[in-house]
Amino acid sequence: MRAKNKLSAGFIRTAPAGKHSDGAGLWLIKREDGGAQWMLRVTVHGRRREMGLGGYPTVGLADARKLSERWRSLAASGRDPIKEREAERRAARREDISLSIITEDAFEARKAELKDDGKAGRWLTPLKLHVLPKLGKVPVTDIDQRDIRDTLAPIWHTKADTARKAMNRLSIVLRHAAALGLDVDLQATEKAKALLGKSRHVAKHIPAMAWADVPAFYASLEEPTLTHLALRLLILNPGVRSKPLRHLRLEQIERDVWTVPKGEMKGQKGKAPAYRVPLCKEAKRIIEQALPHARNGYLFPNTRGGVISDMTLSRLMERRGLEARPHGFRTSLRTWLAEATDAPHEVAEAMLSHATDSGVVRAYRRTDYLEQRLALTERWADYVTGGDGQVVKLVGAAK
């Protein structure tokens, strides 16, 4: 039998960085910063498993030995201790059917559908801010339409979009609870909407510049500053929103194509591919002008090591007394496409990185219309830089 209980409490307190064996598969991993972690190595069905037992000193030597003895016994009986611990945790969570716990469980189940596995946290935010503080500890089986009405009433008319998102997320959580076998009212959110009534909030679209006014504004951005250059590149490629543009890295550009990484484009989910942006001659000229400003791999850096902010672009337009904002150039382009070109609908939508048709149709249509988009981008650039804005004829465009 392997030696056990090799370590002492005194040694652990002063142990150098590295791995220290207590015997029988129990190890103390000491870090350079002084922190430490217990780790157990066991073999199950011929496969070695490594299982964290907690950090030291939260888990002391005696506790670590007790835990390791328990999990070693399970492994000796042919059961995987890691899977057994996960099962115990799931069982414990099932005993707690509060809205907070069920919400976390629903979020975990949906992560793969969300951008960047939901790491940005936006899916949970409406619930965390406006629902869970009031209803988080309430058993999900006890929640009814009156609870939901009273919780969302303060923002129903004043923050309508946030309230709508919170209501939709809550409906998903209730359906998840029902799938777990819990007796919940799946109609509670619809009943709550009936009690709250129709929202008085009127959605406001982001102000856009008329496409006829874009050339004059583009010409006014004549200084070689980061703000002017970034706005010019955004106008030339409004299909790419402000964030991917401001975070543009030099390695994303190869010849005439700028490839926005997976997950960086709004609305991309799951296995959506990276988005390719065809660069027209004018866009490449702007990029060349911006290169001397590049720092840390970013084309549009700020002085603190990050990138310029979205407000930097918006404030320039605000200071000039313009109602339009940078995001509005997407509308400018889309209106120009409709009124001054014969671009097919699917190509025009691809210019704005919009998904069209059903998922099945998109699965069989393996094209992003790069060549057609380049032709349109060149014509748009010709127009905004003072060209004649003639009707675009797309040769070979998909029907």
Side-chain angles (χ1 to χ4, degrees):
M1 180 180 291
R2 292 176 293 176
K4 296 169 61 176
N5 302 342
K6 295 180 183 179
L7 302 177
S8 67
F11 172 79
I12 291 173
R13 284 193 293 271
T14 59
K19 298 181 180 180
H20 306 285
S21 173
D22 188 53
L26 179 61
W27 291 78
L28 178 73
I29 314 298
K30 194 74 175 286
R31 301 192 302 271
E32 293 287 349
D33 62 6
Q37 180 80 18
W38 292 105
M39 189 265 290
L40 177 66
R41 290 177 180 170
V42 295
T43 301
V44 183
H45 302 305
R47 184 174 62 150
R48 191 172 82 172
R49 303 284 273 156
E50 294 187 348
M51 181 180 189
L53 300 182
Y56 175 85
T58 303
V59 177
L61 178 58
D63 290 334
R65 285 171 177 168
K66 288 178 182 178
L67 288 170
S68 65
E69 189 66 37
R70 180 193 175 195
W71 298 121
R72 273 198 306 267
S73 297
L74 274 175
S77 67
R79 295 153 66 187
D80 188 326
I82 295 178
K83 290 183 178 179
E84 291 289 330
R85 182 170 64 181
E86 289 174 351
E88 289 181 5
R89 288 174 175 173
R90 286 196 298 270
R93 285 172 66 87
R94 282 196 293 271
E95 292 174 7
D96 185 346
I97 59 171
S98 65
L99 181 62
S100 289
I101 293 298
I102 302 301
T103 296
E104 287 291 340
D105 202 53
F107 175 63
E108 288 294 325
R110 290 180 59 82
K111 268 187 177 181
E113 305 173 31
L114 304 174
K115 180 180 177 181
D116 199 23
D117 283 343
K119 290 179 182 176
R122 291 183 179 178
W123 193 89
L124 280 175
T125 298
L127 294 176
K128 283 187 173 180
L129 291 180
H130 303 287
V131 177
L132 297 181
K134 296 179 180 178
L135 298 178
K137 295 180 180 180
V138 177
V140 70
T141 51
D142 292 349
I143 292 175
D144 63 20
Q145 63 270 24
R146 290 176 292 274
D147 297 319
I148 300 172
R149 175 200 60 190
D150 295 344
T151 300
L152 293 180
I155 63 169
W156 189 249
H157 298 293
T158 58
K159 298 180 179 179
D161 190 54
T162 300
R164 176 187 59 80
K165 290 178 180 178
M167 189 74 82
N168 290 345
R169 268 53 157 194
L170 189 53
S171 179
I172 291 170
V173 171
L174 291 177
R175 292 200 299 271
H176 185 81
L180 290 173
L182 298 175
D183 185 16
V184 295
D185 183 359
L186 290 176
Q187 299 301 315
T189 51
E190 291 302 316
K191 295 173 186 175
K193 290 179 184 178
L195 293 176
L196 287 162
K198 187 176 180 179
S199 174
R200 294 189 297 271
H201 178 78
V202 178
K204 293 183 179 179
H205 296 292
I206 295 175
M209 184 177 292
W211 61 268
D213 297 331
V214 174
F217 178 69
Y218 188 89
S220 73
L221 302 171
E222 57 188 359
E223 298 175 13
T225 64
L226 281 180
T227 304
H228 281 209
L229 293 170
L231 259 177
R232 281 194 165 202
L233 193 59
L234 182 66
I235 292 170
L236 293 170
N237 300 281
V240 182
R241 290 171 171 84
S242 168
K243 182 179 178 181
L245 182 134
R246 291 181 294 105
H247 286 80
L248 194 162
R249 295 188 60 83
L250 301 180
E251 65 265 23
Q252 295 173 5
I253 300 173
E254 186 173 353
R255 296 183 180 178
D256 298 338
V257 177
W258 162 25
T259 302
V260 181
K262 290 183 179 181
E264 290 297 314
M265 295 292 289
K266 183 179 179 181
Q268 280 190 327
K269 296 180 180 179
K271 298 181 180 178
Y275 181 70
R276 297 193 300 169
V277 182
L279 296 172
C280 62
K281 299 184 190 70
E282 176 70 2
K284 289 186 286 185
R285 188 180 72 83
I286 297 303
I287 290 170
E288 286 291 332
Q289 290 185 21
L291 281 176
H293 297 284
R295 189 184 309 116
N296 299 327
Y298 290 113
L299 188 64
F300 299 113
N302 63 18
T303 57
R304 299 179 300 278
V307 299
I308 59 174
S309 73
D310 190 38
M311 290 305 297
T312 300
L313 307 182
S314 295
R315 281 173 183 154
L316 181 145
M317 300 182 75
E318 184 180 1
R319 285 196 299 270
R320 293 191 178 187
L322 298 171
E323 183 182 3
R325 292 296 177 262
H327 188 83
F329 289 115
R330 294 172 58 83
T331 300
S332 307
L333 172 65
R334 189 61 183 89
T335 308
W336 176 82
L337 287 168
E339 297 181 354
T341 82
D342 65 346
H345 173 74
E346 60 269 27
V347 179
E349 290 298 285
M351 288 283 287
L352 297 177
S353 68
H354 285 165
T356 59
D357 300 315
S358 68
V360 173
V361 173
R362 292 196 301 272
Y364 283 95
R365 186 179 61 222
R366 307 293 176 85
T367 180
D368 59 0
Y369 305 109
L370 189 68
E371 291 184 9
Q372 293 96 323
R373 287 192 289 127
L374 177 58
L376 285 169
T377 302
E378 288 286 7
R379 180 62 68 177
W380 171 245
D382 179 60
Y383 170 70
V384 300
T385 55
D388 55 17
Q390 294 176 348
V391 173
V392 178
K393 297 293 185 183
L394 289 185
V395 179
K399 300 297 183 183

